[in-house]
Structure formats: C-alpha cells, structure tokens
Amino acid sequence: MKIYTRTGDDGTTGLFSGGRVPKHHLRVEGYGTVDELNSALGLARALGTLPATDERLHRVQRQLFYLGADLATPLDAQTSFVVRVPPEDIAWLETQIDVLTDELPPLKVFILPGGVPAAAQIHVARTICRRAERLVTALAEHEALNPQVIPYLNRLSDFLFVLARWENHQSGAPEEDWTVR
C-alpha cells in the first residue's frame, strides 16, 4: 500500500463518508488538531511518564482516534463503520479527574506549566486540546456534530491539566505559583 495517493494535490482532502473538502476547512482543522494532540500525548509518553499516567494517556490516545474519525465524518453521513464518541468516554474522564484531584493539594492560585518533562508536555497537550475545542466549536456553528464531541474536548483539557499536576506531584516536582507583578 502506497502512502501517497496524489488526490490531495489539488488542495482538498477526502472525508470518511466520501466527498472532498478544502484542506483548510474547519472540519479538517478540527480533526487535524486532534491528531496533533494525539502526537503531543505520544511525546509525553515517550518522555517517560509514570506507569499510571502512561496507562491513562494510552487510553486517551485510542479515544482520540475515534474522535478524529467522528469529526472526519459529517453527522448525517450514511456510514456504519464510524464509531462516534460515546458519553462513557466523558464519564471516564470525569472519574479520572475526581480520582486524581483527590490525591492533589488544593489549587488556590494559577500555576505555571512545567515540572518534569513529561508533565510539561502534558501541559502542552492541554493547550492543543483547547485549540481543538475552539476550532470544533466554530465548526459546530456551521455543521451538526455529535453532541458528545465538544463536552469530550472540554473535559479532556481539564483531565490533562489535573494529570500534569498529578504527574508532577507523584514525581516530587513542586508547582510554581503564578504571582501578580
């Protein structure tokens, strides 16, 4: 199987359900940013996360492939092979946020992203997730989407923030408070 098809040489890309859109289409920007997020999480894992963090990020990476496919397929597409993001994925993120938060000191001020390299990379992934959310909410103003997509991205960014804090806490890296000048 060749990796190149030449079908995108005209500046368009194919959607899972068929049809083509410009490569700058909001739908493509959305699932492209989800792909970027998945790569950022892969880098965090490669930097040597703790085993519990690695397990959680592995699960999220798998969920992000479903999210990307969901975004790459218009909601009204007649297809049976695309798995849409289910509410259970959001519930899992919420449970993880609660579990991790219970093990952390209360947050009283803003903190600067950083700490151990893996946690710092999870913070980078969180900001990419927020960008994906902004792009997808813009897309939702023009096209119908799976109603689970935006809540999933919103919860995922919260999860990544808490996970980065937890990774630092478990690694003994102190949080640096942001202070007003």
Side-chain angles (χ1 to χ4, degrees):
M1 174 178 171
K2 289 187 178 186
I3 194 69
Y4 60 90
T5 62
R6 297 188 175 124
T7 57
D9 290 353
D10 65 352
T12 65
T13 191
L15 299 176
F16 274 1
S17 60
R20 300 190 69 76
V21 295
K23 290 187 178 188
H24 64 271
H25 190 280
L26 275 175
R27 181 175 296 282
V28 180
E29 289 285 348
Y31 70 72
T33 305
V34 167
D35 186 35
E36 181 184 350
L37 168 59
N38 207 338
S39 295
L41 294 176
L43 177 56
R45 293 179 67 205
L47 287 170
T49 56
L50 297 167
T53 299
D54 188 71
E55 183 179 313
R56 288 175 171 111
L57 290 180
H58 182 254
R59 181 169 179 163
V60 168
Q61 283 189 288
R62 296 180 60 76
Q63 290 172 347
L64 288 175
F65 264 93
Y66 289 115
L67 175 61
D70 196 333
L71 286 169
T73 309
L75 196 57
D76 61 356
Q78 301 297 317
T79 179
S80 61
F81 59 86
V82 172
V83 177
R84 302 287 180 181
V85 173
E88 295 79 24
D89 287 356
I90 298 166
W92 180 81
L93 289 170
E94 290 172 348
T95 298
Q96 295 304 305
I97 291 167
D98 293 342
V99 166
L100 296 169
T101 300
D102 285 346
E103 296 182 31
L104 291 170
L107 190 61
K108 297 180 184 194
V109 296
F110 289 111
I111 59 167
L112 297 178
V116 298
Q121 181 59 32
I122 293 169
H123 276 297
V124 171
R126 172 186 52 81
T127 65
I128 295 169
C129 185
R130 287 287 189 206
R131 180 163 27 97
E133 184 181 13
R134 291 189 302 272
L135 290 165
V136 170
T137 57
L139 173 63
E141 290 180 359
H142 303 285
E143 298 187 35
L145 299 176
N146 171 359
Q148 307 307 316
V149 167
I150 294 171
Y152 177 85
L153 285 168
N154 187 283
R155 219 65 82 247
L156 179 58
S157 62
D158 294 337
F159 165 76
L160 293 172
F161 176 75
V162 172
L163 185 63
R165 287 191 69 216
W166 187 85
E167 180 80 8
N168 277 329
H169 183 72
Q170 295 297 312
S171 300
E175 293 181 324
E176 185 178 349
D177 295 347
W178 173 78
T179 55
V180 179
R181 292 181 197 184

